[in-house]
Amino acid sequence: MTPRVPAEIRTAIEYLIYDAARLIDDDRLEDWIGLFAPQCRYRVTTRENVDQNLPIALIDCDSLGMIKDRVLSYREANIYNPHLDRHVIGNVRILGEQSGVYEVHSSYTAYQTNPEGETVLFSVGKYLDKIVLIDGEPRFQEHIVIADTWAVKNLLATPL
Amino acid sequence: MTPRVPAEIRTAIEYLIYDAARLIDDDRLEDWIGLFAPQCRYRVTTRENVDQNLPIALIDCDSLGMIKDRVLSYREANIYNPHLDRHVIGNVRILGEQSGVYEVHSSYTAYQTNPEGETVLFSVGKYLDKIVLIDGEPRFQEHIVIADTWAVKNLLATPL
Amino acid sequence: MTPRVPAEIRTAIEYLIYDAARLIDDDRLEDWIGLFAPQCRYRVTTRENVDQNLPIALIDCDSLGMIKDRVLSYREANIYNPHLDRHVIGNVRILGEQSGVYEVHSSYTAYQTNPEGETVLFSVGKYLDKIVLIDGEPRFQEHIVIADTWAVKNLLATPL
């Protein structure tokens, strides 16, 4: 069933998800933080953990403050793993809406390119987002990354 | 030329294609069957065969019953190749509409992730779909997968 | 901020970008040329060059004539590197509009498949396009490819 969502809200929700990817890829993590609602959660976990109902997550920030801290510490640590990020996101699909909260499913491919210009597949998986409108602009109440890939060769430095 | 299709029908058609991918990736193949019209075809072939006009297909189900049989036999056979599927679909483009049948082109990347959490590129290619509205909901009259990749390392178990 | 763009223009702009990919992938390069405005630029460069403000580009066609020449020379040279192209494009996002020029950001993955049916990742990166409406149909005023990948193993033959 296709939920009845006005076209302009559908577009705004898609753009939020695309902006999250674009700001990471353009290394604008401080702006990326601005896409979250004041009350929010950012979580990176694996399909394996979800399927087995394990509470383990690679990253679990349950407040905006924790997300900011994570970006700050990344800014200090990243000298050890210089790379470019690239996200290609497809299949953005609003599953439903309840009390103003939109549940949205999408699929991602994340690549990393090293300073020699070589690109490797870093991770594939899905986003399961809860999105709210704040002053007419969509924001992440929950931005949940569920990675299929968990045999990750590089440090999980930048957000997915 | 952009065909004049109402925004809500365009959305519903995109969601059908995304749902097909999502239901495969979430291993809900029985629900995936429900996306087909009563009279339908599901076909997986290669670009090579299409370009050379060869009638060969990797999979060719020309009825809903055949699609159901395929899923049933997959449920019995899959123990030999456990993996997660992930589809990232882009470029969904309605090419035209005739007598209520929408012809739709899209591109896909399909990945497989093994139980060790390692992801490999499985197949890339395109979908050429014919989609009809049944009681207002879009369904596949034809769901045709044309794979560029045919040197497939793993068994073609789950649908593409 | 989501720019206020009518849904049918948003669709037409997305379809232009998808058509560019589709016509390359279907080896219809002569039709691909038709997607450009009379005054146009097609440029393929790397993220490295852009970040360091270097004027170097892999391809830089600043007129429709140069783009046509490029396709002509490709038609003569391509026998040395036969392959299929596949583009999967995601994240198409209109950043803004000024005086009828739409600035559009998207991300791409480009694959090549050799005559043995083996697919390799060829390039990932982004498109930064300037798109205008000519007689109601969108056309590229600028189609700029900024590749993350520059350690390219194969000849950069077909357009990205």
Side-chain angles (χ1 to χ4, degrees):
Chain A
M1 283 283 293
T2 309
R4 302 220 161 272
V5 178
E8 62 269 21
I9 291 184
R10 188 197 161 198
T11 299
I13 285 174
E14 289 185 13
Y15 281 11
L16 175 71
I17 292 168
Y18 298 158
D19 284 349
R22 183 170 56 95
L23 293 173
I24 294 173
D25 293 349
D26 285 348
D27 196 26
R28 293 170 56 190
L29 298 180
E30 290 74 13
D31 294 328
W32 174 79
I33 295 170
L35 303 180
F36 287 85
Q39 303 286 332
C40 62
R41 165 165 285 206
Y42 172 62
R43 197 177 153 92
V44 180
T45 185
T46 65
R47 184 85 168 267
E48 207 199 14
N49 286 339
V50 171
D51 287 352
Q52 299 179 21
N53 252 322
L54 300 175
I56 309 162
L58 300 171
I59 300 174
D60 195 0
C61 300
D62 64 1
S63 73
L64 198 54
M66 280 186 74
I67 297 174
K68 286 179 185 169
D69 282 352
R70 174 126 203 133
V71 168
L72 271 176
S73 68
Y74 166 74
R75 286 298 184 212
E76 284 161 17
N78 188 35
I79 46 169
Y80 302 112
N81 178 28
H83 69 271
L84 298 174
D85 289 291
R86 176 64 49 198
H87 290 76
V88 179
I89 296 174
N91 321 33
V92 180
R93 199 244 197 260
I94 300 173
L95 296 172
E97 181 262 337
Q98 218 167 10
S99 315
V101 182
Y102 294 87
E103 199 181 344
V104 187
H105 179 284
S106 54
S107 289
Y108 72 85
T109 307
Y111 302 97
Q112 291 193 346
T113 300
N114 69 16
E116 282 72 46
E118 296 160 343
T119 301
V120 293
L121 179 64
F122 179 66
S123 176
V124 305
K126 66 181 168 187
Y127 297 123
L128 269 185
D129 296 319
K130 289 191 178 166
I131 293 171
V132 291
L133 296 174
I134 297 181
D135 297 330
E137 291 290 326
R139 295 288 176 259
F140 292 115
Q141 188 179 84
E142 288 188 15
H143 188 32
I144 312 294
V145 185
I146 302 175
D148 294 347
T149 318
W150 52 265
V152 170
K153 286 179 199 82
N154 304 310
L155 191 68
L156 188 61
T158 36
L160 277 170
Chain B
M1 283 285 293
T2 310
R4 303 219 161 272
V5 178
E8 63 270 21
I9 292 184
R10 187 197 162 197
T11 299
I13 285 174
E14 289 185 13
Y15 282 12
L16 175 71
I17 292 169
Y18 298 157
D19 283 350
R22 181 169 57 94
L23 294 173
I24 293 172
D25 293 349
D26 285 349
D27 196 25
R28 292 171 55 190
L29 297 180
E30 290 73 13
D31 295 327
W32 173 79
I33 295 169
L35 303 179
F36 287 85
Q39 304 286 332
C40 61
R41 166 166 285 208
Y42 171 63
R43 195 176 154 90
V44 180
T45 184
T46 65
R47 184 84 168 267
E48 208 199 13
N49 287 338
V50 171
D51 287 351
Q52 298 179 21
N53 252 322
L54 300 175
I56 309 161
L58 299 171
I59 300 174
D60 195 0
C61 301
D62 64 1
S63 73
L64 198 54
M66 280 186 76
I67 297 173
K68 285 179 186 169
D69 282 351
R70 173 125 204 134
V71 168
L72 270 177
S73 68
Y74 165 74
R75 286 297 184 212
E76 283 160 19
N78 187 34
I79 46 169
Y80 303 111
N81 177 28
H83 69 272
L84 298 174
D85 289 291
R86 176 65 49 197
H87 291 76
V88 179
I89 296 174
N91 322 33
V92 180
R93 200 245 196 259
I94 299 173
L95 296 172
E97 180 262 337
Q98 219 166 12
S99 314
V101 182
Y102 294 86
E103 200 182 343
V104 187
H105 178 285
S106 54
S107 289
Y108 72 85
T109 306
Y111 301 98
Q112 290 193 348
T113 300
N114 69 17
E116 282 73 45
E118 296 160 342
T119 300
V120 294
L121 179 64
F122 179 67
S123 176
V124 305
K126 66 182 169 188
Y127 297 123
L128 269 184
D129 296 319
K130 289 191 178 164
I131 293 170
V132 291
L133 295 175
I134 297 181
D135 297 330
E137 291 290 327
R139 294 288 177 259
F140 293 114
Q141 189 179 84
E142 288 187 14
H143 188 32
I144 311 294
V145 185
I146 303 175
D148 295 347
T149 317
W150 52 265
V152 169
K153 288 179 198 83
N154 304 311
L155 192 68
L156 188 61
T158 37
L160 277 168
Chain C
M1 283 282 293
T2 309
R4 301 219 162 273
V5 177
E8 62 269 21
I9 292 184
R10 188 198 162 196
T11 299
I13 285 174
E14 289 185 12
Y15 281 12
L16 175 71
I17 292 169
Y18 298 157
D19 284 349
R22 182 170 57 94
L23 293 173
I24 293 172
D25 293 349
D26 284 349
D27 196 25
R28 294 172 54 190
L29 297 181
E30 290 73 14
D31 295 327
W32 174 79
I33 295 170
L35 303 179
F36 287 85
Q39 304 286 332
C40 62
R41 166 165 284 207
Y42 171 63
R43 196 176 152 91
V44 179
T45 186
T46 65
R47 182 87 168 267
E48 208 198 13
N49 286 338
V50 171
D51 287 351
Q52 300 179 19
N53 252 321
L54 300 175
I56 309 161
L58 299 171
I59 299 174
D60 195 0
C61 301
D62 63 3
S63 72
L64 198 54
M66 280 186 74
I67 297 173
K68 286 178 185 168
D69 282 352
R70 174 127 204 131
V71 168
L72 271 176
S73 68
Y74 166 74
R75 286 296 184 214
E76 284 160 20
N78 188 35
I79 46 169
Y80 302 112
N81 178 27
H83 68 272
L84 298 174
D85 289 292
R86 176 64 48 199
H87 291 76
V88 179
I89 296 174
N91 321 35
V92 180
R93 198 246 196 257
I94 300 175
L95 296 172
E97 180 263 337
Q98 219 167 9
S99 314
V101 183
Y102 293 87
E103 199 181 343
V104 187
H105 179 285
S106 55
S107 289
Y108 72 85
T109 306
Y111 302 97
Q112 291 193 348
T113 300
N114 69 16
E116 282 72 46
E118 295 160 342
T119 300
V120 294
L121 178 64
F122 179 66
S123 175
V124 304
K126 66 181 168 188
Y127 297 123
L128 269 184
D129 295 319
K130 288 190 179 165
I131 293 170
V132 291
L133 296 175
I134 296 180
D135 297 330
E137 289 292 325
R139 295 288 176 259
F140 292 115
Q141 188 179 84
E142 288 187 14
H143 188 32
I144 311 294
V145 185
I146 302 175
D148 294 348
T149 317
W150 52 266
V152 169
K153 288 180 198 81
N154 304 311
L155 192 68
L156 187 61
T158 36
L160 278 169

